Amino acid sequence: MSQAPLLADAQSSQEQRLLVIYTGGTIGMQPQANGLSPAGDFPKRLASALSQLPLRDQQMLPAYDVISYSPLIDSSAATPITWQQLAADIAERFTEHRGFVVIHGTDTLSWTAASLAYQLQGLDRPVVLTGAMAPLEAPNSDALQNLYGALRFAAHPELQEVAIYFANRLLRGTRAIKQHSEAVEAFSSPSYPLLGERIGDDFILFPSRGLSYQQRGAPRFELVDYQPVANGEVVRITLWPGIAPWQLEAWLSHPNVKGALLQLWGAGNLPDNPALLEVIAKASGEGKLIAAISQCPQGSVHMGAYAAGHGLNNAGVLSGDDMTPEAAYTKLVHVLAQPISLEDQRRRFLTTLVGER
């Protein structure tokens, strides 16, 4: 397995800077009378925090600029329009910076990372998202180390995709999930190995696992308008024991719904009720994009491998293979937003675009 250590190069770091985009989240909050609340003046607070690093680490920091969103975004309130705005801001400043760090709340950080990957296809430089489980100034916070690692990896030219840096690990943006609501190691990549990691004082990138070794050429951004699918037009339905056809139909038959992500059991199983399959087939026949993944955090759907999943292919359901819910849902949003035929939308969903499946 080839490895590429991150090397200090103070002169080159001054030639072209990173851009840090602060969107909000726990990392920038401060205690108020009614609890933790978003706080401003983040560039100054970030510089102050980084100045507390050991001198050797400070010397390894790349030069950077900071922009802050106003108003700040609670990540639980993020929408496809939030994802679209972030991608547009990165694209607008793309040639001016050699890498990007997006500071984001952890609740939907992996959703934003997946969406950015689809919008910023063909990246030739890093886009690294990070956040923290505790505010920047809190005792024993993970914020400073996450920020430092994100800056270090965002300065590495061999990283050419959207990634998440958290708790010493660099994860592919379309392969990451938030698995814990409290632990410092909140994110995991259940179906793909790490892109890199911090080992002691070294930040190691594993280039053979990266997209830069799979796709070449100029960036081919797809900055489509997400407004037509930003108000609930794409739904996510996780099956439960006892789900009834009328319940599924209530979602899929709604005239506003354009697509749906179904989370099935195991390798892609439905309850033994033909009426459920009829509801799905009817929605698919109406031109709605229906995709399926497993409820299991690891493994793929293999529709038809069991009798309980037989008929899903004939009903027009698209296999999401081993995609995460975040990657599958944001991909549905992305392809449905494009002014292309239903056949092309189906084909693009089934095609690996940025290492998501």
Side-chain angles (χ1 to χ4, degrees):
M1 177 176 58
S2 60
Q3 299 181 353
L6 305 191
L7 302 178
D9 189 344
Q11 182 176 0
S12 65
S13 70
Q14 296 297 326
E15 291 173 356
Q16 195 172 18
R17 303 162 73 87
L18 303 180
L19 180 64
V20 176
I21 303 176
Y22 170 53
T23 69
T26 298
I27 192 170
M29 292 183 176
Q30 291 181 326
Q32 307 292 340
N34 59 344
L36 290 174
S37 300
D41 203 15
F42 191 78
K44 181 177 179 180
R45 294 164 57 202
L46 174 61
S48 175
L50 292 173
S51 71
Q52 299 171 31
L53 290 167
L55 181 59
R56 178 183 180 278
D57 291 345
Q58 292 185 49
Q59 293 172 338
M60 302 288 280
L61 280 170
Y64 64 88
D65 301 312
V66 182
I67 62 173
S68 297
Y69 276 14
S70 181
L72 297 173
I73 301 167
D74 185 314
S75 73
S76 63
T79 72
I81 299 304
T82 308
W83 308 334
Q84 179 180 331
Q85 182 62 57
L86 258 174
D89 289 341
I90 292 172
E92 180 182 352
R93 298 164 175 82
F94 192 72
T95 58
E96 304 166 14
H97 298 89
R98 62 180 180 136
F100 298 83
V101 172
V102 177
I103 302 173
H104 195 286
T106 60
D107 284 342
T108 62
L109 188 150
S110 53
W111 297 78
T112 297
S115 178
L116 288 178
Y118 297 129
Q119 295 181 80
L120 304 175
Q121 293 180 44
L123 280 172
D124 60 0
R125 62 202 67 187
V127 174
V128 181
L129 288 82
T130 196
M133 302 303 288
L136 183 59
E137 290 89 358
N140 303 313
S141 172
D142 58 332
L144 179 56
Q145 292 305 316
N146 285 347
L147 289 166
Y148 177 61
L151 287 165
R152 290 288 305 275
F153 274 116
H156 198 300
E158 288 191 63
L159 178 61
Q160 299 180 5
E161 61 181 284
V162 177
I164 293 171
Y165 180 79
F166 217 90
N168 300 322
R169 299 180 295 179
L170 188 71
L171 317 175
R172 172 162 292 164
T174 55
R175 291 286 191 161
I177 62 172
K178 185 180 180 183
Q179 67 172 4
H180 206 293
S181 64
E182 298 174 333
V184 171
E185 293 185 349
F187 290 86
S188 67
S189 179
S191 298
Y192 197 78
L194 299 179
L195 298 180
E197 60 184 318
R198 179 176 186 172
I199 302 175
D201 291 330
D202 296 322
F203 290 79
I204 306 297
L205 187 71
F206 307 125
S208 62
R209 300 174 180 174
L211 286 178
S212 59
Y213 277 71
Q214 301 171 18
Q215 56 182 42
R216 297 290 185 178
R220 48 188 182 278
F221 294 171
E222 294 182 357
L223 304 176
V224 294
D225 182 12
Y226 280 2
Q227 188 62 57
V229 288
N231 293 298
E233 288 84 357
V234 183
V235 298
R236 175 188 177 190
I237 305 170
T238 301
L239 300 191
W240 64 90
I243 185 173
W246 70 265
Q247 293 172 311
L248 190 59
E249 185 176 20
W251 288 94
L252 297 184
S253 67
H254 195 286
N256 290 352
V257 170
K258 299 177 180 179
L261 176 65
L262 305 180
Q263 288 190 247
L264 309 177
W265 288 301
N269 298 325
L270 277 172
D272 185 16
N273 186 340
L276 285 171
L277 202 58
E278 290 174 8
V279 170
I280 296 170
K282 182 176 183 292
S284 180
E286 292 171 348
K288 298 179 180 182
L289 213 61
I290 313 295
I293 59 173
S294 176
Q295 293 185 25
C296 301
Q298 290 182 275
S300 300
V301 292
H302 301 283
M303 296 184 302
Y306 292 86
H310 183 72
L312 286 167
N313 285 320
N314 291 337
V317 178
L318 303 172
S319 171
D321 291 333
D322 63 347
M323 294 171 69
T324 65
E326 295 92 325
Y329 182 89
T330 56
K331 191 173 187 179
L332 280 175
V333 167
H334 187 69
V335 299
L336 282 166
Q338 299 184 48
I340 56 179
S341 68
L342 176 61
E343 181 181 349
D344 283 340
Q345 289 174 343
R346 292 174 61 86
R347 177 185 56 80
R348 283 184 62 75
F349 184 86
L350 293 170
T351 300
T352 301
L353 301 179
V354 283
E356 72 278 10
R357 55 188 295 156

